[in-house]
Amino acid sequence: MTQQQQQAEPTSTSAKILYRPVGIASSIVGGLLANLIFKKVWQRTAPRDVPDDPPNALDSGSDLKTIVLAAGLQGAIFAVVKVLVDRGGARAFQRWSGEWPGN
C-alpha cells in the first residue's frame, strides 16, 4: 500500500480506539528514551564550566545562554524521537491490523 493510498482511506473508529493504548505506551517509552539520549548528549557536548546535569529554567547557577542552549537541544531531540517512535508505532499497528491508525 502506498503512502497516498494510506491517506485516501479513512481510518475506522475501532482502529483509532485500538491504537490509543499503543500510542500512549509508545509515547511514554519515547519520552524516557529521548530523556536518556538528551542527558548523554548534554554530558558530551556541554561547555566545560557547566555541570554534567542539564540546567533548567529555575537553575540560579546557570546563565540564560546555557539554559536556552540546553532547552533547544532537548526540544530538538524530543521532537525527532517522538516522530520516529510515533511513525514506528503506526507502521507496526498497520502491519498488525491492516489499517493506518491516523487520518
Side-chain angles (χ1 to χ4, degrees):
M1 183 178 295
T2 68
Q3 195 75 8
Q4 289 178 337
Q5 289 173 328
Q6 289 173 355
Q7 293 174 354
E9 298 174 16
T11 303
S12 68
T13 303
S14 60
K16 288 180 181 181
I17 291 170
L18 287 172
Y19 181 71
R20 282 187 183 157
V22 173
I24 290 169
S26 65
S27 292
I28 292 169
V29 170
L32 294 171
L33 179 63
N35 193 40
L36 179 69
I37 292 169
F38 168 64
K39 284 185 178 184
K40 294 291 184 187
V41 169
W42 182 257
Q43 288 173 354
R44 293 182 182 195
T45 61
R48 298 276 179 227
D49 60 335
V50 175
D52 282 346
D53 290 334
N56 61 40
L58 301 178
D59 188 359
S60 63
S62 297
D63 64 337
L64 183 59
K65 179 182 171 185
T66 303
I67 292 170
V68 170
L69 175 67
L73 179 62
Q74 184 178 31
I77 290 171
F78 270 73
V80 169
V81 170
K82 180 178 177 359
V83 165
L84 293 174
V85 168
D86 286 350
R87 192 67 174 194
R91 286 191 177 186
F93 182 82
Q94 182 186 30
R95 283 193 299 273
W96 175 77
S97 70
E99 287 190 70
W100 187 254
N103 303 351

